Each structure stands twice: as C-alpha cells, then as structure tokens.
Amino acid sequence: MRWAWAEVDLGAIRHNVETVAALVAPAEVWAVVKANGYGHGVIPVTRTALAAGATGLCVALVQEGLELRAAGIGAPILVLSEQPAEQADALVAASLTPTLYSAGGIESFAAAVARAGGIATPVHLKFDTGMHRVGAAPSEAPALIADVMARPELRLAGVFTHLAKADSPDAADNELQLRRFDQVLDAVVAAGVSPLVHAANSAAALALPAARHDLVRLGIAMYGIEPGPEVSDLCGGLRPALSLRARVSFVKRVPPGEGVSYGLVHRVEVETTIATVPIGYADGVSRRLYASGAEVLIHGRRMPIVGVVTMDSLMVDCGDHDVEVGDEVVLIGGQVGSAGSDAVPAEEWAARLGTIGYEIVCGISRRIERRHTEP
C-alpha cells in the first residue's frame, strides 16, 4: 500500500448528521454528496448519512447520481442544476430528480419521461433570489409552476433557492434573498400545490432558522468542517471526519547553506535533518503551502514544510529530532505522539492558502486511498 492515504471517520459523519438533524427538526436533512462526498469517498459517506437519518441526497452531476444508483442506493437523489437535454433520458432511467428553471428544461425532461412511458415524475424548480449563478427569477414562478402542473409526466416535488452569504448570517442580503423567495412561495400557495421548500445549505441550517423550511441541504458541516469563520461558534458540536496521513520515506542530514527542493529557494541555516514525505501537489497538497509556513505533525510535534512542494513529494525540517523512515506524518488531522498531541485542521490550510475548507478536502486527489473506519 502507498505510504500516503486519507482516513475517513464514518462515526464522525454519523455524529454530524444526527447533530444537525436534531437542531433543524422537523425539517429533513438531505445529504450533499457531490464531488466524491467532498473528497471523503461518496459511497461509504452516503450509506452512513442515510443510516444516520438523512432522507435524501444531492449531487451536482448526472454521473454522480448514476454512481450512487449503481451502488444500490435507492434514496431520492436531487441533481442540483438543470442538465443538458441529452442527459434527460439518463435522469429518467435512473430515477434521479432534476432541477429545472427554464421552459426548455421542462420540455426536455417531460419529453424524456414520455419516451419512457412514465407519468408524474418528481421535479424541483430552482429560483435565483440573488446569487445569480443559476435559477429562474422569482417573477417567473407562476408561469413555471403552471407549466409543470400542466404536464401529466411531471409532479412539482420541490422549490428552492440558494443563499450567497449564509456563512455571514448577519448580512442583510440573506433577509433580502428570503424575502424574494417568499414571492415564489406565494405563487406556490396560489397554485394550490405543496412541494418541499428548501433554501438552507450548511451555514443557513446552523445559523438561519428562517431558512430551514421543509429540508436543509447538509454539505460541508456533515464532514465536520466549518462553513465559514462567522459561524465557527456554531460548529463546536461537529467532528472533522477526514485526516490526511503519510509516512516518512527518506531521511538525510543536510549541512548549513544547502538548498532544498526545486529552485533551491529554501536554504538551511544550520545542519538539520530533512525528511522526505511521499505526497505532493498531484495529491492535493498545494505548492504554496511551503511559502505560507505550513507545518505537519510527526510524533505529535509540529515541523515545517521546507522547499517547494513537488508533484509527488514534500520535505520537512525535523531539526535534531529523531525521525525515521516509516514514521507517521499527519498533514491534516490530529496526532498523539511521544512529543504530545496536536492537530492541523483543514481550516488551517485554508487560512494559509486564502481559500476555504471545501477546496482543501475536495482537492485531495483520487490517487490518495480513502480508508474508512466504521462508526
């Protein structure tokens, strides 16, 4: 087995789903498992989330939904954006629930259902209340709802929106978007239908009770990573599920003045021990981590990454500490060792790189084996 891997604690996934489900009840929890379960391994994560009480799933791509169906997962699966017309038949065949927000999208999906001989297939309509990524304008709600209701092939099962600043819960934009979404809900009432209503992602589920409605789309918080610094105080009950680990593959003493890694941009000032760790940017470890002062854990002690991270390896300055080939290195996560204990959360990498925890875990490549521990 390769000396670099990710450990995924499925007990943490279960705990996080149960924690959020208790908070948002009676709203349902639908688990967002796109992007390989945010880099955690989609099939084990999905099965754990459903066992913990999630009642539905959300993905970004038809292919992601097909992967779940191929694994025997029968729960409702919502594809979160309108897909190309040529994928409509695959959506229908796999009983995936489409998101629609255009007359053309409604027409294409209804035609696919008709070709398959089905009727009353559930669909969700998405409305753009201010993020301006995808979705219909709230003013289009009456016409789109009527279009769906007029087609025997379709059943309006949900209406939803997405909040652009839910991770800043005090932002006035959240209230504005929810007010605009109320126009959609007025159109739903006027049409005499009762679809599922949803607006909350992880941040809104935690911080904006008014956005919970009938279900929340639980994404990053399910994996134990905070949606943003402004809601970190609400994440204390969540447990990070993923740790990124490796083993030291080579150890050498380097004399003062010598450079380390490409470009020799890092030069050691005193004789020191440099450990090579067989994981690099092709695995999702950014080249920029060295320049940001990132550290890893060996024996429970923080040690700095030195020199540019290469495609398959990085180097660590271990000073005069005893480090041997085969010693465990923790890049993300916690470690207890002879020197004590510490942890490097994904949020620390995010802060160093000027990004968010989502990008860190989603960026861990598929060539890193995911080792899942059962709850």
Side-chain angles (χ1 to χ4, degrees):
M1 305 297 289
R2 185 184 173 193
W3 274 10
W5 70 96
E7 292 182 2
V8 179
D9 178 3
L10 296 177
I13 299 289
R14 176 186 289 274
H15 167 81
N16 296 337
V17 173
E18 291 174 344
T19 297
V20 175
L23 174 69
V24 304
E28 300 176 30
V29 169
W30 283 36
V32 184
V33 295
K34 61 184 179 176
N36 192 30
Y38 286 44
H40 289 64
V42 65
I43 302 304
V45 163
T46 296
R47 289 178 172 148
T48 301
L50 292 171
T55 55
L57 306 167
C58 301
V59 298
L61 308 172
V62 173
Q63 299 96 300
E64 293 173 333
L66 297 179
E67 182 179 0
L68 295 173
R69 292 290 189 241
I73 292 166
I77 300 174
L78 175 65
V79 183
L80 288 167
S81 63
E82 196 169 274
Q83 300 297 296
E86 57 266 27
Q87 296 191 21
D89 291 323
L91 274 159
V92 173
S95 297
L96 305 179
T97 301
T99 289
L100 303 173
Y101 36 79
S102 71
I106 293 171
E107 174 65 32
S108 295
F109 189 73
V113 175
R115 284 193 295 272
I119 59 172
T121 300
V123 303
H124 287 219
L125 293 176
K126 182 171 187 179
F127 294 92
D128 176 16
T129 57
M131 186 164 172
H132 302 308
R133 182 171 59 181
V134 295
S139 60
E140 297 179 77
L144 291 177
I145 292 170
D147 194 0
V148 171
M149 292 178 64
R151 297 173 185 272
E153 304 93 345
L154 307 182
R155 175 175 62 86
L156 183 60
V159 295
F160 72 107
T161 193
H162 192 73
L163 301 178
K165 296 184 70 172
D167 55 347
S168 298
D170 294 330
D173 297 278
N174 294 315
E175 184 180 352
L176 174 60
Q177 282 196 254
L178 290 173
R179 285 203 311 270
R180 289 172 175 170
F181 192 46
D182 284 341
Q183 300 175 40
V184 175
L185 303 186
D186 289 343
V188 167
V189 171
V193 288
S194 300
L196 291 170
V197 175
H198 50 114
N201 57 6
S202 286
L206 295 171
L208 296 172
R212 291 172 185 162
H213 292 292
D214 297 319
L215 68 88
V216 302
R217 305 184 299 271
L218 182 61
I220 197 68
M222 181 170 75
Y223 305 98
I225 298 173
E226 66 180 38
E230 293 182 51
V231 294
S232 60
D233 59 332
L234 301 175
C235 298
L238 304 178
R239 289 164 37 192
L242 181 143
S243 61
L244 183 61
R245 300 172 185 269
R247 295 195 182 280
V248 173
S249 62
F250 191 65
V251 177
K252 80 290 292 180
R253 292 291 284 180
V254 176
E258 288 295 305
V260 176
S261 194
Y262 285 123
L264 305 178
V265 294
H266 178 87
R267 292 187 179 273
V268 302
E269 296 181 357
V270 298
E271 183 179 8
T272 191
T273 296
I274 298 293
T276 299
V277 185
I279 187 171
Y281 64 75
D283 304 300
V285 182
S286 172
R287 293 181 79 249
R288 295 181 291 122
L289 277 174
Y290 153 65
S292 71
E295 300 166 313
V296 302
L297 301 175
I298 303 177
H299 302 312
R301 177 186 287 114
R302 283 178 174 253
M303 299 183 182
I305 296 173
V306 292
V308 174
V309 174
T310 71
M311 183 179 290
D312 309 298
S313 301
L314 57 83
M315 277 64 80
V316 178
D317 190 336
C318 304
D320 293 322
H321 299 296
D322 291 331
V323 175
E324 299 179 356
V325 170
D327 283 350
E328 183 189 67
V329 181
V330 174
L331 294 90
I332 297 173
Q335 185 186 57
V336 178
S338 59
S341 63
D342 203 343
V344 178
E347 291 91 339
E348 180 175 319
W349 274 28
R352 291 187 183 280
L353 296 172
T355 184
I356 54 178
Y358 302 69
E359 183 178 0
I360 299 304
V361 291
C362 289
I364 298 172
S365 86
R366 286 196 179 237
R367 75 177 196 166
I368 292 292
E369 178 195 4
R370 272 66 170 178
R371 301 178 184 175
H372 295 91
T373 59
E374 296 296 328

